[in-house]
Amino acid sequence: VITISELARFAGVTVKAVRHYHARGLLPEPDRDASGYRRYDAQAAVDLIRIKTLADAGVPLARVHELLSAEQDEFAVAVDEIGRDLSARIRVMEQHRTRVARLTDAASLALPAFVLDYLDRLRALGLSERMVNVEREGWILLCAHRPERSQGWIRMKQESLDDRSYVEGYRLLDLTWDWAPDDPRLVEVADAFAQIAPGLRTAEDDPAAPVPEDFDDTMVALLDSQTVEKVPSWARLIGLLQERGLIGWTDPHYDD
Amino acid sequence: VITISELARFAGVTVKAVRHYHARGLLPEPDRDASGYRRYDAQAAVDLIRIKTLADAGVPLARVHELLSAEQDEFAVAVDEIGRDLSARIRVMEQHRTRVARLTDAASLALPAFVLDYLDRLRALGLSERMVNVEREGWILLCAHRPERSQGWIRMKQESLDDRSYVEGYRLLDLTWDWAPDDPRLVEVADAFAQIAPGLRTAEDDPAAPVPEDFDDTMVALLDSQTVEKVPSWARLIGLLQERGLIGWTDPHYDD
DNA sequence: TTGCTCCTCACGTCACGTGAGGTGGC
DNA sequence: TTGCTCCTCACGTCACGTGAGGTGGC
């Protein structure tokens, strides 16, 4: 009594969708008129609205097919499950929304505000932009890998930055970037670090400090590729520091 | 420095997804090792996390490609838009969730509680189950088509059911279901309706009553296919009622 | 006659997933 | 040697969308 386009508009779907539901066996093929046009009645409209209601809720069409011929109790259980599934999907979408809301620019992608504050402070302390960049990419990795611990680490780093000798260490490291690995000044820098060392915080000082278990092999490999493998002079420097009994988070076997 | 599976696990995606991003040109192909294996560095991990963050937010990969090379301000505008889009999608999902929550069984699919209450009352008044079914399917159509007006209509119908003569009319109609269209008793029923008529409510009595504009051609055609086209005696009855100056919502030209 | 709807294939899309068939590393 | 990972095609999936080429109704 109505045509396919009338039916489709009525239910709020496309004509193609209706034909697709026929092909899938979800909606029974109606009788045709003299020219081969499909003619639908109210039952078809009711069926289609049911299909759309379930499909809109994210139910796969194969599942819709089952449900349309399900018994009362079986259906009730399924509807309950669909509702919980929708709620769960809404929750993850809300997480993604808050994550997206933090993305003010491409540089801060995946970085929470407390890391951005920390990076701003490094800039304010006079560190070079490429140094800040190394930190930034490192923190993107850390935040992705250990989101629950990263805030604690940042707090610890912020406290460390209150220490002048710690800041001096950073500035020294910044200076060595372009030096050749065999630059004799690196030995002086390593000695300077050894002086500063007592001021550097370790896991023994602070329970929030990172411990070896915080970094799996993947993490260590990635952080290394950003630092010792990228800046030749730093590889040398790490070696010199190890000779002086100072080791950081990096793989002791980085030089393999 | 890390393998494809390490990279994938780190970012929380599948190995296939990483290769897909290579194929789409989203993630640059890294160098290979001696056996042709891809070797990734931290930059790749950072890039992949960025891609995943955007893709999780529902951004099409083609769009992700643009955004990764966008300028600060252009990116900020896009992120804002993605956030609004996510919020909108969350809102429609919440609508679908509330709609799904109402689906206690297959019969009540797409029907709000106030319609179910109305149908229960019809049963309580002694109407046959098949009669209730005709009402139910009609209301499914009405609720789908005019959701904003259906509650008002139900309220009006509930008030009408307080009228004994109105209820009598329903019971008479129920009785005629199986009669032949030429059954002489139909004339008596039509006469009885004519007696009841002053008690029937019309648009003149109540501004909430349905007017012809509430039903487009599709709606009329569908409601007809559930009633006058389905039950032969009703087609005859409508004709008899029209002779007596009583017309309902149905198409006056139903008999074409 | 023009424009709109309808019909049936067949192939496209989106973001991957699934084997198939083979090689490399411990 | 076994099991695991890696590689590259090629094709599959899900829910339709997009024409292609043709007919019917006003």
Side-chain angles (χ1 to χ4, degrees):
Chain A
V1 123
I2 57 168
T3 67
I4 193 168
S5 66
E6 287 172 321
L7 177 78
R9 186 152 29 88
F10 184 81
V13 303
T14 66
V15 169
K16 296 286 184 178
V18 175
R19 287 203 268 253
H20 184 62
Y21 297 148
H22 286 316
R24 295 281 315 240
L26 278 179
L27 193 65
E29 280 277 3
D31 293 337
R32 307 291 179 115
D33 68 7
S35 18
Y37 289 16
R38 293 178 181 86
R39 289 285 153 175
Y40 297 92
D41 61 5
Q43 186 56 51
V46 168
D47 291 347
L48 182 55
I49 286 169
R50 283 179 180 158
I51 294 168
K52 180 190 154 60
T53 303
L54 289 169
D56 279 349
V59 180
L61 294 190
R63 197 78 202 294
V64 171
H65 192 61
E66 294 170 28
L67 289 181
L68 291 181
S69 58
E71 293 304 313
Q72 296 267 87
D73 49 354
E74 186 188 347
F75 187 85
V77 170
V79 159
D80 217 62
E81 190 189 308
I82 292 162
R84 281 199 307 278
D85 185 64
L86 260 178
S87 296
R89 283 165 49 202
I90 287 171
R91 276 195 296 279
V92 307
M93 281 186 81
E94 276 164 349
Q95 279 178 21
H96 292 151
R97 183 177 52 179
T98 55
R99 207 171 288 176
V100 162
R102 286 201 294 250
L103 310 181
T104 50
D105 64 11
S108 68
L109 244 166
L111 276 183
F114 57 81
V115 175
L116 298 178
D117 292 342
Y118 167 77
L119 296 176
D120 283 340
R121 186 166 178 201
L122 291 184
R123 279 189 199 91
L125 289 170
L127 292 180
S128 69
E129 201 54 35
R130 64 185 178 186
M131 190 72 184
V132 173
N133 252 326
V134 167
E135 283 272 337
R136 186 172 57 77
E137 308 227 308
W139 283 103
I140 288 176
L141 295 175
L142 289 170
C143 289
H145 196 55
R146 295 267 161 186
E148 75 288 356
R149 297 215 55 189
S150 53
Q151 188 154 17
W153 292 342
I154 281 285
R155 188 181 48 71
M156 218 187 68
K157 291 282 281 182
Q158 288 276 18
E159 285 169 16
S160 296
L161 289 178
D162 294 336
D163 184 345
R164 271 200 73 67
S165 63
Y166 188 93
V167 174
E168 270 318 302
Y170 253 118
R171 287 189 179 132
L172 272 174
L173 195 59
D174 202 352
L175 283 177
T176 64
W177 187 300
D178 296 313
W179 296 0
D182 58 354
D183 193 309
R185 289 174 298 173
L186 283 174
V187 181
E188 294 170 41
V189 170
D191 287 336
F193 268 113
Q195 295 291 331
I196 294 167
L200 293 175
R201 304 169 70 116
T202 69
E204 288 137 50
D205 299 326
D206 190 334
V211 292
E213 298 85 74
D214 286 326
F215 304 100
D216 64 14
D217 292 346
T218 302
M219 196 66 216
V220 168
L222 286 173
L223 289 173
D224 276 358
S225 74
Q226 279 299 99
T227 52
V228 293
E229 293 179 15
K230 195 171 179 180
V231 185
S233 63
W234 287 3
R236 172 85 196 291
L237 194 57
I238 294 281
L240 292 169
L241 289 174
Q242 284 179 340
E243 286 171 15
R244 284 156 184 76
L246 294 169
I247 48 167
W249 44 258
T250 195
D251 184 356
H253 307 296
Y254 73 91
D255 50 354
D256 287 354
Chain B
V1 123
I2 57 169
T3 68
I4 193 167
S5 66
E6 287 173 321
L7 177 77
R9 185 153 28 89
F10 184 81
V13 302
T14 66
V15 169
K16 296 287 184 176
V18 174
R19 286 203 269 253
H20 184 64
Y21 297 150
H22 286 317
R24 295 281 317 239
L26 278 178
L27 193 65
E29 281 279 1
D31 293 337
R32 307 291 180 115
D33 69 7
S35 19
Y37 290 16
R38 293 178 181 86
R39 288 285 153 174
Y40 298 91
D41 60 5
Q43 185 58 50
V46 169
D47 291 346
L48 182 55
I49 286 169
R50 283 179 179 157
I51 293 169
K52 180 189 155 59
T53 303
L54 289 169
D56 279 349
V59 180
L61 294 190
R63 196 79 201 295
V64 171
H65 192 61
E66 295 171 27
L67 289 180
L68 291 180
S69 58
E71 294 303 314
Q72 297 266 88
D73 48 354
E74 185 188 348
F75 187 85
V77 169
V79 160
D80 217 61
E81 189 189 309
I82 292 163
R84 279 200 307 279
D85 186 63
L86 260 178
S87 296
R89 282 165 49 202
I90 288 171
R91 275 195 297 279
V92 306
M93 283 185 80
E94 277 165 350
Q95 279 178 22
H96 292 152
R97 183 177 52 177
T98 55
R99 207 170 289 175
V100 162
R102 285 200 295 250
L103 310 181
T104 50
D105 64 11
S108 68
L109 245 167
L111 275 183
F114 57 83
V115 175
L116 297 178
D117 292 343
Y118 167 77
L119 296 176
D120 283 341
R121 187 168 177 200
L122 290 184
R123 278 190 200 93
L125 289 170
L127 291 180
S128 70
E129 201 55 35
R130 64 185 179 187
M131 190 73 184
V132 174
N133 251 327
V134 166
E135 283 273 337
R136 188 172 56 77
E137 308 228 308
W139 283 103
I140 288 175
L141 295 176
L142 289 169
C143 289
H145 197 55
R146 294 267 162 187
E148 77 289 356
R149 296 216 56 190
S150 53
Q151 188 155 19
W153 293 341
I154 282 285
R155 187 181 47 71
M156 217 187 70
K157 291 283 278 182
Q158 287 276 18
E159 285 169 16
S160 297
L161 290 179
D162 294 337
D163 184 346
R164 271 200 74 66
S165 63
Y166 188 93
V167 174
E168 270 317 302
Y170 253 119
R171 288 187 179 135
L172 272 174
L173 196 59
D174 202 351
L175 284 177
T176 65
W177 187 300
D178 296 316
W179 296 0
D182 56 356
D183 193 308
R185 288 174 298 174
L186 282 174
V187 181
E188 292 170 40
V189 171
D191 287 335
F193 269 112
Q195 294 291 331
I196 294 167
L200 294 174
R201 303 170 70 116
T202 67
E204 287 136 49
D205 300 325
D206 191 331
V211 292
E213 297 85 74
D214 285 326
F215 303 99
D216 65 14
D217 292 347
T218 302
M219 196 66 217
V220 169
L222 285 173
L223 288 174
D224 277 358
S225 73
Q226 279 301 101
T227 53
V228 293
E229 293 179 15
K230 194 172 180 180
V231 184
S233 62
W234 287 3
R236 172 85 195 291
L237 194 56
I238 295 280
L240 292 169
L241 289 174
Q242 283 178 342
E243 286 170 15
R244 283 154 184 79
L246 294 169
I247 46 166
W249 44 258
T250 196
D251 185 356
H253 307 295
Y254 73 90
D255 50 356
D256 288 355

